[in-house]
Amino acid sequence: MGKKKKQKLPLAYKPVGFVLGWAGGALAGMAFQKTWKVIRHEDDAPDALDPDRGWGEILLAAAVQGAIFAAVRSAMDRAGAKAIERSTGVWPSGDKGGRD
């Protein structure tokens, strides 16, 4: 019976993962906007197609944004997995590998 539960749990975790991913994306977006404002004192981060911005600004913004999104995504995934494990006694991923 334990094996059956492990096979079904990742499917049951998908809606939880989706909601956490959506919420994490919104949270990361807000965190990036606040971080960019602190770094450059600007409301809007540069866009890669903005002709008035230099390579340095574009790449700095992309690196900061990527780091924030990765950290928030990992934190949300981990929190969701721990919550599922606490409530069901089973880790939501059948294997030891990650998402990527």
Side-chain angles (χ1 to χ4, degrees):
M1 179 144 190
K3 213 168 184 48
K4 207 175 205 183
K5 188 175 184 182
K6 284 185 181 183
Q7 289 174 347
K8 289 185 178 182
L9 190 57
L11 182 60
Y13 179 72
K14 286 188 186 284
V16 173
F18 176 78
V19 170
L20 288 175
W22 182 82
L27 181 65
M30 291 186 309
F32 173 66
Q33 289 299 324
K34 288 183 184 290
T35 302
W36 189 255
K37 196 168 193 166
V38 168
I39 292 172
R40 297 295 299 223
H41 307 290
E42 299 174 347
D43 289 331
D44 295 321
D47 181 79
L49 299 179
D50 187 343
D52 299 326
R53 302 292 187 122
W55 278 95
E57 282 182 290
I58 301 291
L59 296 180
L60 175 63
V64 170
Q65 185 178 35
I68 290 171
F69 270 81
V72 170
R73 182 176 106 177
S74 293
M76 297 295 276
D77 281 348
R78 186 66 178 194
K82 292 298 272 183
I84 292 292
E85 182 186 39
R86 276 193 302 274
S87 64
T88 66
V90 178
W91 193 255
S93 174
D95 58 358
K96 296 287 182 193
R99 172 193 337 216
D100 299 330

